[in-house]
Amino acid sequence: SVVFYGLVLLMMFGFIINITVMALCIRELSYKYNSFEIQNFRNFFSVIILFILFILNKKAKINTYQLRNNFFRNIFHFIGQSCWTWGLTVLPLALVFSLEFTMPIWASIIALVFLKEKITLNKMLFLIIGLIGTYTILLPGTNNINFYNLIVLFSAIAYAVAHNFTKKLTETDSILSILFLDSSYNDVLSV
């Protein structure tokens, strides 16, 4: 139990470092490249890394049993990724991260409405706290509501839709297949 929570903590710390480094790289690259070029590089190298993982894992297969859901997941993920990448080039990093971390709120609402998931008291409490936090970020003086912020907020919603499709896809498809199809499809869209 302690080892499990230690591993989870380590993975979360790794995720925070990863997403922060990626955001800093996107910000730095944005002085020379547009957001679609940056995404194209990211997705191209993701496909290569995933392809290597498939080669190393003899049992892994690139297939899907839910082509339609994969298609819609990839469209929403691409929209979210595009809006987030663009937002990183025009807004302060702290604001982008604050708005992006509303994604779990939207994912819960979407799962409640479309996947008919049950909502517990704890989920409801966290949703309310999250919405209050988002309101606090956006409305300290009402000068923070602008087009750029709404685009990043929209990226969080698009990511939330994509994550709900991912949840549905994991019922039949492997994580590596979902990631490979996503990266290769987004690579095509980024061109």
Side-chain angles (χ1 to χ4, degrees):
S1 175
V2 173
V3 174
F4 174 76
Y5 288 117
L7 184 60
V8 169
L9 188 62
L10 185 63
M11 289 173 62
M12 287 304 296
F13 185 68
F15 171 76
I16 290 168
I17 290 173
N18 180 13
I19 202 83
T20 302
V21 169
M22 185 171 54
L24 292 171
C25 290
I26 289 170
R27 173 65 65 88
E28 194 61 34
L29 288 170
S30 70
Y31 297 116
K32 188 172 182 181
Y33 302 100
N34 68 45
S35 62
F36 286 107
E37 290 172 317
I38 295 168
Q39 283 178 219
N40 196 22
F41 287 129
R42 176 185 173 206
N43 292 325
F44 176 75
F45 288 109
S46 294
V47 168
I48 290 172
I49 291 167
L50 289 168
F51 189 67
I52 290 169
L53 289 174
F54 274 112
I55 290 172
L56 295 175
N57 184 354
K58 304 293 184 200
K59 295 179 184 177
K61 294 179 184 177
I62 302 173
N63 62 351
T64 181
Y65 297 98
Q66 301 181 51
L67 190 59
R68 184 173 157 265
N69 285 341
N70 244 307
F71 174 77
F72 286 117
R73 182 220 177 266
N74 294 339
I75 291 292
F76 280 101
H77 187 261
F78 178 76
I79 292 168
Q81 183 180 358
S82 299
C83 293
W84 185 73
T85 302
W86 183 75
L88 285 169
T89 67
V90 295
L91 289 172
L93 291 177
L95 187 58
V96 173
F97 277 105
S98 298
L99 293 172
E100 182 60 27
F101 285 140
T102 64
M103 188 274 302
I105 299 168
W106 304 115
S108 296
I109 293 169
I110 291 166
L112 177 71
V113 173
F114 293 105
L115 298 179
K116 307 297 184 216
E117 284 193 4
K118 293 181 176 150
I119 191 155
T120 64
L121 186 59
N122 282 344
K123 277 187 184 178
M124 183 62 78
L125 180 64
F126 287 116
L127 286 174
I128 291 169
I129 291 170
L131 288 172
I132 291 169
T134 303
Y135 180 79
T136 304
I137 292 164
L138 283 177
L139 294 175
T142 65
N143 60 348
N144 270 343
I145 296 182
N146 60 44
F147 177 72
Y148 300 146
N149 295 353
L150 294 177
I151 291 293
V152 174
L153 201 54
F154 182 70
S155 82
I157 295 169
Y159 273 137
V161 172
H163 288 316
N164 275 290
F165 273 111
T166 303
K167 185 175 186 176
K168 191 77 175 148
L169 286 168
T170 57
E171 294 173 0
T172 59
D173 297 359
S174 74
I175 298 296
L176 283 176
S177 290
I178 294 167
L179 288 173
F180 184 80
L181 291 170
D182 176 62
S183 295
S184 54
Y185 185 77
N186 284 344
D187 203 23
V188 171
L189 287 176
S190 295
V191 174

Coordinates of all heavy atoms in Angstrom, one line a residue, residues 127-177:
L127 N -16.3 19.2 -7.6 CA -16.8 20.0 -8.8 C -17.1 21.4 -8.4 O -16.7 22.4 -9.1 CB -18.0 19.3 -9.5 CG -17.8 18.1 -10.3 CD1 -19.1 17.5 -10.7 CD2 -16.9 18.4 -11.4
I128 N -17.8 21.6 -7.3 CA -18.1 22.9 -6.8 C -16.9 23.7 -6.5 O -16.7 24.9 -6.9 CB -19.1 22.9 -5.7 CG1 -20.5 22.3 -6.1 CG2 -19.3 24.2 -5.0 CD1 -21.4 22.0 -5.0
I129 N -15.9 23.1 -5.7 CA -14.7 23.8 -5.4 C -13.9 24.1 -6.6 O -13.4 25.2 -6.8 CB -13.8 22.9 -4.4 CG1 -14.5 22.8 -3.1 CG2 -12.4 23.4 -4.3 CD1 -13.9 21.7 -2.2
G130 N -13.9 23.2 -7.6 CA -13.2 23.5 -8.9 C -13.8 24.6 -9.6 O -13.1 25.5 -10.2
L131 N -15.1 24.7 -9.7 CA -15.8 25.8 -10.4 C -15.6 27.1 -9.7 O -15.4 28.1 -10.3 CB -17.3 25.5 -10.5 CG -17.6 24.4 -11.6 CD1 -19.1 24.0 -11.5 CD2 -17.2 24.8 -13.0
I132 N -15.5 27.1 -8.4 CA -15.2 28.3 -7.6 C -13.8 28.8 -7.9 O -13.6 30.0 -8.1 CB -15.5 28.1 -6.1 CG1 -17.0 27.9 -5.8 CG2 -14.9 29.3 -5.3 CD1 -17.3 27.5 -4.4
G133 N -12.9 27.8 -8.0 CA -11.5 28.2 -8.3 C -11.4 28.8 -9.7 O -10.7 29.8 -9.9
T134 N -12.1 28.2 -10.6 CA -12.0 28.7 -12.0 C -12.6 30.1 -12.0 O -12.1 31.0 -12.7 CB -12.8 27.8 -13.0 OG1 -12.3 26.5 -12.9 CG2 -12.7 28.3 -14.4
Y135 N -13.7 30.3 -11.4 CA -14.3 31.6 -11.3 C -13.4 32.6 -10.7 O -13.3 33.8 -11.1 CB -15.6 31.5 -10.5 CG -16.4 32.8 -10.3 CD1 -17.2 33.3 -11.3 CD2 -16.3 33.6 -9.1 CE1 -17.8 34.5 -11.2 CE2 -16.9 34.8 -9.0 CZ -17.7 35.2 -10.0 OH -18.4 36.4 -9.9
T136 N -12.7 32.2 -9.6 CA -11.7 33.1 -9.0 C -10.6 33.5 -9.9 O -10.1 34.6 -9.9 CB -11.1 32.4 -7.7 OG1 -12.2 32.1 -6.9 CG2 -10.2 33.3 -7.0
I137 N -10.1 32.5 -10.7 CA -9.0 32.8 -11.6 C -9.5 33.8 -12.7 O -8.8 34.7 -13.1 CB -8.5 31.5 -12.3 CG1 -7.8 30.6 -11.3 CG2 -7.6 31.8 -13.5 CD1 -7.7 29.2 -11.7
L138 N -10.7 33.6 -13.3 CA -11.1 34.3 -14.4 C -11.7 35.7 -14.0 O -11.6 36.6 -14.8 CB -12.2 33.6 -15.2 CG -11.7 32.5 -16.1 CD1 -12.9 31.8 -16.7 CD2 -10.8 33.0 -17.1
L139 N -12.2 35.8 -12.8 CA -13.0 37.1 -12.5 C -12.4 37.9 -11.3 O -13.2 38.4 -10.6 CB -14.4 36.7 -12.3 CG -15.2 36.2 -13.5 CD1 -16.6 35.8 -13.1 CD2 -15.2 37.2 -14.6
P140 N -11.1 38.0 -11.1 CA -10.7 38.9 -10.0 C -11.1 40.3 -10.3 O -11.4 41.1 -9.3 CB -9.2 38.7 -9.9 CG -8.8 38.1 -11.2 CD -10.0 37.4 -11.8
G141 N -11.1 40.7 -11.5 CA -11.5 42.1 -11.8 C -12.3 42.2 -13.1 O -12.4 43.2 -13.7
T142 N -12.7 41.1 -13.6 CA -13.4 40.9 -14.9 C -12.6 41.3 -16.1 O -13.1 41.1 -17.2 CB -14.8 41.6 -14.9 OG1 -14.6 43.0 -14.9 CG2 -15.7 41.1 -13.8
N143 N -11.4 41.7 -15.9 CA -10.6 42.0 -17.1 C -9.9 40.7 -17.6 O -9.2 40.8 -18.6 CB -9.6 43.1 -16.8 CG -8.6 42.7 -15.7 OD1 -8.8 41.7 -15.0 ND2 -7.5 43.5 -15.5
N144 N -10.0 39.6 -17.0 CA -9.4 38.4 -17.4 C -10.2 37.6 -18.4 O -9.8 36.6 -18.9 CB -9.0 37.5 -16.2 CG -7.7 37.8 -15.7 OD1 -6.9 38.4 -16.4 ND2 -7.4 37.3 -14.5
I145 N -11.5 38.0 -18.6 CA -12.3 37.2 -19.6 C -12.0 37.8 -20.9 O -12.4 39.0 -21.2 CB -13.8 37.3 -19.2 CG1 -14.1 36.6 -17.9 CG2 -14.6 36.7 -20.3 CD1 -15.5 36.5 -17.5
N146 N -11.3 37.1 -21.8 CA -11.1 37.6 -23.1 C -11.0 36.3 -24.0 O -11.1 35.2 -23.6 CB -9.8 38.4 -23.2 CG -8.5 37.6 -22.8 OD1 -8.4 36.5 -23.1 ND2 -7.7 38.3 -22.0
F147 N -10.8 36.6 -25.3 CA -10.8 35.6 -26.3 C -9.8 34.5 -26.0 O -10.0 33.3 -26.1 CB -10.6 36.2 -27.7 CG -10.5 35.2 -28.8 CD1 -11.7 34.5 -29.2 CD2 -9.3 34.9 -29.4 CE1 -11.6 33.6 -30.3 CE2 -9.3 34.0 -30.5 CZ -10.4 33.4 -30.9
Y148 N -8.6 34.9 -25.6 CA -7.5 33.9 -25.4 C -7.8 33.0 -24.3 O -7.6 31.8 -24.4 CB -6.2 34.7 -25.1 CG -5.7 35.6 -26.1 CD1 -5.0 36.8 -25.8 CD2 -5.9 35.3 -27.5 CE1 -4.5 37.6 -26.8 CE2 -5.4 36.1 -28.5 CZ -4.7 37.3 -28.1 OH -4.3 38.1 -29.1
N149 N -8.4 33.5 -23.2 CA -8.7 32.7 -22.0 C -9.8 31.7 -22.4 O -9.8 30.5 -22.0 CB -9.2 33.5 -20.9 CG -8.1 34.4 -20.3 OD1 -7.0 34.3 -20.7 ND2 -8.5 35.3 -19.4
L150 N -10.8 32.2 -23.2 CA -11.9 31.3 -23.6 C -11.4 30.2 -24.5 O -11.9 29.0 -24.5 CB -13.0 32.1 -24.3 CG -13.7 33.1 -23.4 CD1 -14.8 33.9 -24.2 CD2 -14.4 32.4 -22.3
I151 N -10.4 30.5 -25.4 CA -9.8 29.4 -26.2 C -9.1 28.3 -25.3 O -9.3 27.1 -25.6 CB -8.8 30.0 -27.2 CG1 -9.5 30.9 -28.3 CG2 -7.9 28.9 -27.9 CD1 -10.4 30.1 -29.2
V152 N -8.4 28.7 -24.3 CA -7.7 27.8 -23.4 C -8.8 27.0 -22.6 O -8.7 25.8 -22.4 CB -6.7 28.4 -22.5 CG1 -6.1 27.5 -21.5 CG2 -5.6 29.0 -23.4
L153 N -9.8 27.7 -22.2 CA -10.9 27.0 -21.5 C -11.6 26.0 -22.4 O -11.9 24.9 -22.0 CB -11.9 28.0 -21.0 CG -12.9 27.6 -19.9 CD1 -12.1 27.1 -18.7 CD2 -13.7 28.8 -19.5
F154 N -11.8 26.4 -23.7 CA -12.3 25.5 -24.7 C -11.4 24.3 -24.9 O -11.9 23.1 -25.1 CB -12.6 26.2 -26.0 CG -13.2 25.3 -27.1 CD1 -14.5 24.9 -26.9 CD2 -12.4 24.9 -28.2 CE1 -15.0 24.0 -27.9 CE2 -13.0 24.1 -29.1 CZ -14.3 23.6 -29.0
S155 N -10.1 24.5 -24.8 CA -9.1 23.3 -24.9 C -9.4 22.3 -23.8 O -9.3 21.1 -24.0 CB -7.7 23.8 -24.9 OG -7.2 24.0 -23.7
A156 N -9.6 22.9 -22.6 CA -9.9 22.0 -21.4 C -11.2 21.2 -21.7 O -11.2 20.0 -21.3 CB -10.0 22.8 -20.1
I157 N -12.2 21.8 -22.3 CA -13.4 21.1 -22.6 C -13.2 20.0 -23.6 O -13.7 18.9 -23.5 CB -14.5 22.1 -23.0 CG1 -14.9 23.0 -21.8 CG2 -15.8 21.3 -23.5 CD1 -15.8 24.2 -22.1
A158 N -12.4 20.4 -24.7 CA -12.1 19.4 -25.7 C -11.3 18.2 -25.2 O -11.6 17.1 -25.5 CB -11.4 20.1 -26.9
Y159 N -10.4 18.5 -24.3 CA -9.6 17.4 -23.7 C -10.5 16.6 -22.9 O -10.4 15.3 -22.8 CB -8.5 18.0 -22.8 CG -7.2 18.3 -23.5 CD1 -6.5 19.4 -23.3 CD2 -6.6 17.4 -24.4 CE1 -5.3 19.7 -23.9 CE2 -5.4 17.6 -25.0 CZ -4.7 18.8 -24.8 OH -3.5 19.0 -25.4
A160 N -11.5 17.2 -22.2 CA -12.4 16.4 -21.3 C -13.2 15.4 -22.2 O -13.4 14.3 -21.8 CB -13.3 17.3 -20.6
V161 N -13.7 15.9 -23.3 CA -14.4 15.0 -24.2 C -13.5 13.9 -24.7 O -13.9 12.7 -24.7 CB -15.0 15.8 -25.4 CG1 -15.6 14.9 -26.5 CG2 -16.0 16.9 -25.0
A162 N -12.3 14.2 -25.1 CA -11.3 13.2 -25.5 C -11.1 12.2 -24.4 O -11.0 11.0 -24.7 CB -10.0 13.9 -26.0
H163 N -11.0 12.6 -23.2 CA -10.7 11.7 -22.1 C -11.9 10.8 -21.8 O -11.7 9.6 -21.5 CB -10.3 12.5 -20.8 CG -9.0 13.1 -20.8 ND1 -7.9 12.4 -21.3 CD2 -8.6 14.3 -20.5 CE1 -6.8 13.2 -21.3 NE2 -7.2 14.4 -20.7
N164 N -13.1 11.3 -22.0 CA -14.3 10.4 -21.9 C -14.3 9.4 -23.0 O -14.7 8.2 -22.8 CB -15.5 11.2 -21.9 CG -15.8 11.7 -20.5 OD1 -16.2 11.0 -19.6 ND2 -15.7 13.0 -20.2
F165 N -13.9 9.8 -24.2 CA -13.8 8.8 -25.3 C -12.7 7.7 -25.0 O -12.9 6.6 -25.3 CB -13.5 9.4 -26.7 CG -14.8 9.9 -27.4 CD1 -15.1 11.2 -27.5 CD2 -15.6 9.0 -27.9 CE1 -16.2 11.6 -28.2 CE2 -16.8 9.4 -28.6 CZ -17.1 10.7 -28.7
T166 N -11.6 8.2 -24.4 CA -10.5 7.3 -24.0 C -11.0 6.3 -23.0 O -10.7 5.1 -23.1 CB -9.3 8.1 -23.4 OG1 -8.9 9.1 -24.4 CG2 -8.2 7.2 -23.1
K167 N -11.8 6.7 -22.1 CA -12.4 5.8 -21.1 C -13.2 4.7 -21.8 O -13.1 3.5 -21.4 CB -13.2 6.6 -20.1 CG -13.8 5.7 -18.9 CD -14.5 6.6 -17.9 CE -14.9 5.8 -16.7 NZ -15.5 6.6 -15.7
K168 N -14.0 5.1 -22.8 CA -14.8 4.2 -23.5 C -13.9 3.2 -24.3 O -14.2 2.0 -24.4 CB -15.8 4.9 -24.4 CG -16.8 4.1 -25.0 CD -17.9 3.8 -24.0 CE -19.0 3.0 -24.7 NZ -19.6 2.1 -23.8
L169 N -12.9 3.8 -24.9 CA -12.0 3.0 -25.8 C -11.2 1.9 -25.0 O -10.9 0.8 -25.5 CB -11.0 3.9 -26.5 CG -11.5 4.7 -27.7 CD1 -10.5 5.8 -28.1 CD2 -11.9 3.8 -28.8
T170 N -10.9 2.2 -23.8 CA -10.1 1.3 -23.0 C -10.8 0.0 -22.6 O -10.2 -1.0 -22.2 CB -9.6 1.9 -21.7 OG1 -10.6 2.4 -20.9 CG2 -8.5 3.0 -21.9
E171 N -12.1 0.0 -22.9 CA -12.9 -1.3 -22.7 C -12.5 -2.3 -23.7 O -12.6 -3.5 -23.4 CB -14.4 -1.0 -22.9 CG -15.0 -0.1 -21.8 CD -16.4 0.3 -22.0 OE1 -17.0 -0.1 -23.1 OE2 -17.0 1.1 -21.2
T172 N -12.0 -1.9 -24.9 CA -11.6 -2.9 -25.9 C -10.2 -2.8 -26.5 O -9.6 -3.7 -27.0 CB -12.6 -2.9 -27.1 OG1 -12.6 -1.6 -27.7 CG2 -14.0 -3.2 -26.7
D173 N -9.7 -1.6 -26.4 CA -8.4 -1.3 -27.1 C -7.3 -1.1 -26.1 O -7.5 -0.7 -24.9 CB -8.5 0.0 -27.9 CG -9.5 -0.1 -29.1 OD1 -10.1 -1.2 -29.3 OD2 -9.6 0.8 -29.8
S174 N -6.1 -1.4 -26.5 CA -4.9 -1.2 -25.6 C -4.5 0.2 -25.5 O -4.8 1.0 -26.5 CB -3.7 -2.1 -26.0 OG -3.1 -1.5 -27.2
I175 N -3.9 0.6 -24.5 CA -3.5 2.0 -24.3 C -2.5 2.4 -25.4 O -2.5 3.5 -26.0 CB -2.8 2.3 -22.9 CG1 -3.8 2.0 -21.8 CG2 -2.2 3.6 -22.8 CD1 -5.0 3.0 -21.8
L176 N -1.5 1.5 -25.7 CA -0.6 1.8 -26.8 C -1.2 2.0 -28.1 O -0.9 2.8 -28.9 CB 0.5 0.6 -26.9 CG 1.6 0.6 -25.8 CD1 2.5 -0.6 -26.0 CD2 2.4 1.9 -25.9
S177 N -2.3 1.2 -28.4 CA -3.0 1.4 -29.7 C -3.7 2.7 -29.7 O -3.7 3.4 -30.8 CB -4.0 0.3 -29.9 OG -3.4 -1.0 -30.1

